[in-house]
Amino acid sequence: MESPRGTTGIPQASSRRADPAIRFGPFTLDFDTRQLTRDGREVHLAPKAFDLLAMLVTERPKVLSKTVLQERLWPGTFVAEANLSNLVAEIREALGDQARAPLLIRTAHRFGYAFCGDAIAQPSSPEAGSARPACWLEWERRRFPLLPGEHVIGRDPDVEIRLDASTVSRRHARLVVTTEGTMLEDFGSKNGTFRGSEPVTSPIQLADGDAIRIGSLLLSFHVSGAVMSTDTQVRPAL
């Protein structure tokens, strides 16, 4: 056995995992929020792909065998080896890495994989904690962290929260996050912005659990604690 495992098969916290996040290049892997971000913007990974990347980064530069990785990711279940290679391919695509000239994920031929990049652990500190997102948006399996400031929602590639759907305007709406709360404002979009069934015609303050419709897409707003708002009433979804 190459490292301690819990009942889920995913590695338990080690001395290296005492740090809540690890940075490598423009990327940050946050274990607490289960997010991979690049320059502050989330890079989507499937849950198993995130678990695999977390294992490789945590145990860098050690090579983990395919057998061990499969046992941890799918404990007690037989899966084809292609499932593991597909996860590695997903991670490489997300990181912009290449199998033949790896900068981050190295293949040990006929054995397994290892993280081969330079990485820096980010220790917990008051300064780091104040910069962590206190709220976020969720759409399907994607999460958009919301740091203090303005976040434009739309179809345009340059906006902070990009939703690529025909019913979403290029600059559809915006969220403004402050210590007082989070405000939602429509930008005169063609298909409208709604909180629950209520159309957003002027800036409104959001509460934890609010359902938000952007065009035809349904999202949800979440607050990690009482820092942003004391109103935790869940508003009905459409």
Side-chain angles (χ1 to χ4, degrees):
M1 185 177 296
E2 301 195 17
S3 72
R5 292 185 292 117
T7 57
T8 62
I10 302 302
Q12 293 295 309
S14 63
S15 58
R16 184 170 284 171
R17 277 292 301 272
D19 298 302
I22 292 179
R23 292 181 56 194
F24 48 96
F27 298 98
T28 298
L29 189 68
D30 192 311
F31 300 113
D32 290 344
T33 63
R34 289 183 57 83
Q35 289 178 297
L36 173 68
T37 57
R38 176 170 184 156
D39 296 326
R41 294 191 176 187
E42 185 176 14
V43 179
H44 178 66
L45 281 179
K48 291 290 187 185
F50 181 93
D51 291 336
L52 175 56
L53 179 58
M55 281 188 274
L56 296 176
V57 171
T58 298
E59 302 197 35
R60 66 190 187 280
K62 183 178 181 179
V63 178
L64 299 180
S65 71
K66 294 179 182 179
T67 300
V68 166
L69 291 173
Q70 288 177 319
E71 183 181 342
R72 293 184 186 177
L73 290 167
W74 299 280
T77 305
F78 174 78
V79 295
E81 187 175 311
N83 289 323
L84 180 60
S85 60
N86 288 340
L87 291 181
V88 172
E90 179 182 347
I91 292 170
R92 283 175 170 152
E93 182 178 359
L95 300 178
D97 205 24
Q98 298 181 2
R100 294 190 176 183
L103 297 176
L104 297 172
I105 306 297
R106 177 173 69 87
T107 300
H109 187 55
R110 293 187 178 180
F111 183 77
Y113 302 95
F115 185 87
C116 59
D118 294 327
I120 302 174
Q122 289 189 296
S124 179
S125 67
E127 292 78 8
S130 63
R132 296 173 66 80
C135 54
W136 64 92
L137 279 183
E138 287 188 3
W139 172 49
E140 296 181 340
R141 296 174 65 180
R142 296 187 62 184
R143 176 180 287 193
F144 301 93
L146 302 172
L147 292 172
E150 178 180 304
H151 304 265
V152 176
I153 305 171
R155 193 162 38 88
D156 194 293
D158 294 328
V159 301
E160 287 75 19
I161 301 175
R162 184 166 185 254
L163 303 174
D164 192 8
S166 60
T167 59
V168 177
S169 300
R170 295 183 66 84
R171 295 174 65 85
H172 194 107
R174 73 169 176 174
L175 293 167
V176 179
V177 182
T178 69
T179 56
E180 302 299 322
T182 300
M183 304 296 293
L184 174 64
E185 179 184 4
D186 183 69
F187 273 170
S189 60
K190 179 179 179 181
N191 294 304
T193 300
F194 297 80
R195 181 182 63 183
S197 59
E198 171 190 3
V200 176
T201 56
S202 60
I204 58 172
Q205 184 161 333
L206 297 177
D208 182 42
D210 274 345
I212 300 170
R213 182 157 60 85
I214 304 293
S216 63
L217 304 185
L218 186 63
L219 300 87
S220 57
F221 174 77
H222 300 277
V223 180
S224 61
V227 175
M228 303 301 295
S229 172
T230 57
D231 180 4
T232 58
Q233 180 182 358
V234 177
R235 300 181 186 272
L238 295 179

